[in-house]
Amino acid sequence: MRYSLIFHAPEPGADGPEAGLAALDAIDAGSPSLSAFQPAGVLRAHLLTRLGRTDEAATARRRALDLTTDPAERDYLSVGLT
């Protein structure tokens, strides 16, 4: 399941953030366990940020933050969150 994200999600900048988010949503709809895959949350946050949807991006970053124990990732994902 995890590898399907890598092979099917478009490059975040290739077709624009809207296309990337749509592809991520399509994969998520077919695999409910994707919400437990931390890199998918990071990608979602990145795409939402690029779309200017900052509240949704912060929610996605918090979810990704909840899924990691790596100190460097936690520091990165925490920047700007209150």
Side-chain angles (χ1 to χ4, degrees), residues 40-60:
V42 174
L43 176 58
R44 179 174 301 283
H46 172 73
L47 294 170
L48 290 166
T49 297
R50 291 191 54 206
L51 289 168
R53 295 164 56 180
T54 55
D55 291 340
E56 292 172 88
T59 299

Side-chain angles (χ1 to χ4, degrees), residues 2-62:
R2 291 181 180 196
Y3 297 108
S4 67
L5 176 65
I6 295 166
F7 293 118
H8 297 291
E11 185 68 28
D15 296 317
E18 296 92 355
L21 190 58
L24 188 59
D25 287 342
I27 294 168
D28 196 15
S31 178
S33 62
L34 188 64
S35 63
F37 185 47
Q38 187 264 359
V42 174
L43 176 58
R44 179 174 301 283
H46 172 73
L47 294 170
L48 290 166
T49 297
R50 291 191 54 206
L51 289 168
R53 295 164 56 180
T54 55
D55 291 340
E56 292 172 88
T59 299
R61 284 178 55 207
R62 285 186 188 95

